[in-house]
Amino acid sequence: MSWYKLVGIDDGIMKKVTDEDKNRQKFIFSMLVIMMIMIALFVLISSIIYLLIIFHSWTVAICTGLFLSLVIFNLYRFLTISAINAEKSGIGQYQIKHEKQYHDFIDNFKINEIAQMPEEAIRKIVNDRKDELREKFPEYYANKYKITTSILTMAIRLSFLSIIALVFSTGLELFIFKSQVNEVLDATANTLRQEVPDSWILKNMLTPQEGKEFTLFHCNSLLLIINVLHAGLGYWKLILDLIFLTIFLLPLILIFKSKEIQKGYYVRELALHEISISFYHYLKTQKRCVEILKQVTTEDLVERFKKSAKYA
């Protein structure tokens, strides 16, 4: 299966990359996708645990858990894949400022020349310039120009993913230590039955609601179960949170630290593709502007408007 396509990787832009390098890039991004799917599965398990405690219904828990896992997967791939660009490479200066690719066409003397170009000529200019830029930066070169990814943007990405990781890590920890948590809850319930049989906690939290049964945990209160988990794990809770946080952030870390991604052929070809699209549409826009200008100067638009059906 072409896993890399799940995050919008378009292998069609790598037509001028060797098959070996192309397959390597596909493999790398497929691994990233598989990591994201594993994270989505963690979210699914954690969501089911939370929802079972609240609703005591497998149907509600599974359906809502699937929905949440899909939302997190799509949010996660957006936050990670949108961070991929060539700004740290030499070609990044052109990606930051596309006008550098066609600066000589930003000239009043060139407008009439552009207007006379047929579609084939425009595409040839764009493709030739694309090939020239590719040859100019065949390998990775450090970009000395300003990097567009601000500290604020990176902080937002990390904050979102960290919050997601910390929220769902607790659900995974509850799943792992379910037996130990239930032992504490059962012991607490037995103690209250003997010493404080009229306890509100016993009647409302540690006793199943009428007509229902406990599912995974012998308690109706999510907060009480989490408090038991915190008390039982102590500082180990922090260590486990850090482990799950690392797992959740690993794809984003790889995107920013992996040389095969930052210096990879896909990133280079993606930058060239974006620059070429900008160049092509600039030429088409200038050509259309000249056509409109000629139409305005040669036709009597007032008379044309008066003869129109809407005016009548």
Side-chain angles (χ1 to χ4, degrees):
M1 181 176 178
S2 302
W3 294 101
Y4 60 92
K5 292 184 177 180
L6 292 178
V7 288
I9 300 300
D10 182 11
D11 55 345
I13 67 175
M14 293 192 290
K15 294 179 180 178
K16 294 197 174 182
V17 177
T18 63
D19 290 339
E20 182 181 355
D21 292 328
K22 186 188 297 185
N23 291 333
R24 179 61 182 173
Q25 290 289 289
K26 290 179 181 180
F27 172 77
I28 292 170
F29 285 106
S30 293
M31 291 300 101
L32 279 175
V33 172
I34 291 173
M35 292 171 66
M36 293 180 193
I37 291 175
M38 292 302 299
I39 290 172
L41 289 176
F42 288 156
V43 171
L44 174 61
I45 295 171
S46 182
S47 299
I48 290 174
I49 296 298
Y50 286 144
L51 293 165
L52 278 175
I53 295 171
I54 298 171
F55 297 105
H56 301 290
S57 170
W58 282 100
T59 302
V60 173
I62 293 174
C63 292
T64 309
L66 285 171
F67 172 76
L68 288 175
S69 63
L70 286 173
V71 170
I72 296 300
F73 175 76
N74 283 286
L75 177 62
Y76 198 101
R77 68 176 181 172
F78 167 74
L79 292 173
T80 51
I81 299 303
S82 62
I84 296 177
N85 56 63
E87 64 183 8
K88 294 182 180 179
S89 65
I91 204 174
Q93 58 186 279
Y94 289 84
Q95 190 177 30
I96 293 169
K97 192 174 182 180
H98 290 186
E99 293 86 349
K100 289 176 67 67
Q101 178 73 336
Y102 50 87
H103 65 89
D104 53 323
F105 281 93
I106 307 176
D107 191 328
N108 290 331
F109 296 103
K110 288 280 189 178
I111 294 179
N112 291 328
E113 181 183 336
I114 295 171
Q116 303 301 320
M117 291 181 184
E119 176 69 17
E120 295 75 12
I122 290 176
R123 291 186 179 275
K124 186 176 186 306
I125 290 173
V126 172
N127 290 329
D128 289 346
R129 291 276 181 104
K130 182 179 180 180
D131 292 335
E132 290 174 6
L133 190 58
R134 183 186 290 107
E135 293 174 2
K136 186 176 181 180
F137 298 101
E139 302 296 339
Y140 180 88
Y141 291 93
N143 180 18
K144 297 180 181 179
Y145 289 75
K146 181 182 178 180
I147 296 177
T148 56
T149 303
S150 64
I151 296 176
L152 178 61
T153 303
M154 177 57 63
I156 292 173
R157 295 179 195 276
L158 289 174
S159 298
F160 265 95
L161 295 180
S162 297
I163 292 171
I164 292 171
L166 293 175
V167 168
F168 290 102
S169 64
T170 299
L172 292 170
E173 292 159 7
L174 286 172
F175 177 73
I176 295 171
F177 298 102
K178 176 177 67 71
S179 299
Q180 290 81 355
V181 171
N182 278 331
E183 287 180 8
V184 174
L185 293 173
D186 290 340
T188 303
N190 291 332
T191 301
L192 290 175
R193 288 191 188 98
Q194 296 175 5
E195 299 182 1
V196 191
D198 295 329
S199 170
W200 183 89
I201 294 177
L202 177 63
K203 292 181 178 180
N204 293 276
M205 293 186 181
L206 300 176
T207 301
Q209 296 179 2
E210 187 175 351
K212 294 184 178 180
E213 295 181 357
F214 288 133
T215 47
L216 290 180
F217 292 93
H218 305 163
C219 181
N220 294 313
S221 173
L222 176 62
L223 291 178
L224 179 58
I225 294 173
I226 292 175
N227 282 333
V228 171
L229 179 71
H230 274 268
L233 292 178
Y235 288 109
W236 284 102
K237 176 71 168 62
L238 178 60
I239 296 173
L240 290 173
D241 285 343
L242 290 175
I243 292 173
F244 284 119
L245 178 62
T246 302
I247 293 173
F248 272 72
L249 293 180
L250 192 56
L252 186 64
I253 293 171
L254 289 177
I255 285 175
F256 283 99
K257 295 298 182 181
S258 172
K259 294 181 179 179
E260 289 196 273
I261 294 178
Q262 289 289 334
K263 304 179 182 181
Y265 289 98
Y266 179 76
V267 171
R268 185 192 67 180
E269 293 300 317
L270 179 63
L272 288 169
H273 183 65
E274 293 174 354
I275 295 166
S276 297
I277 289 175
S278 179
F279 187 13
Y280 172 77
H281 285 288
Y282 171 79
L283 294 179
K284 292 286 288 185
T285 302
Q286 294 302 310
K287 181 177 180 179
R288 183 57 180 159
C289 287
V290 172
E291 291 173 354
I292 294 173
L293 181 61
K294 286 182 178 179
Q295 184 180 9
V296 170
T297 55
T298 56
E299 293 186 27
D300 189 343
L301 297 181
V302 176
E303 289 299 322
R304 182 177 179 181
F305 175 70
K306 288 180 178 180
K307 294 178 181 179
S308 65
K310 290 184 179 179
Y311 181 77

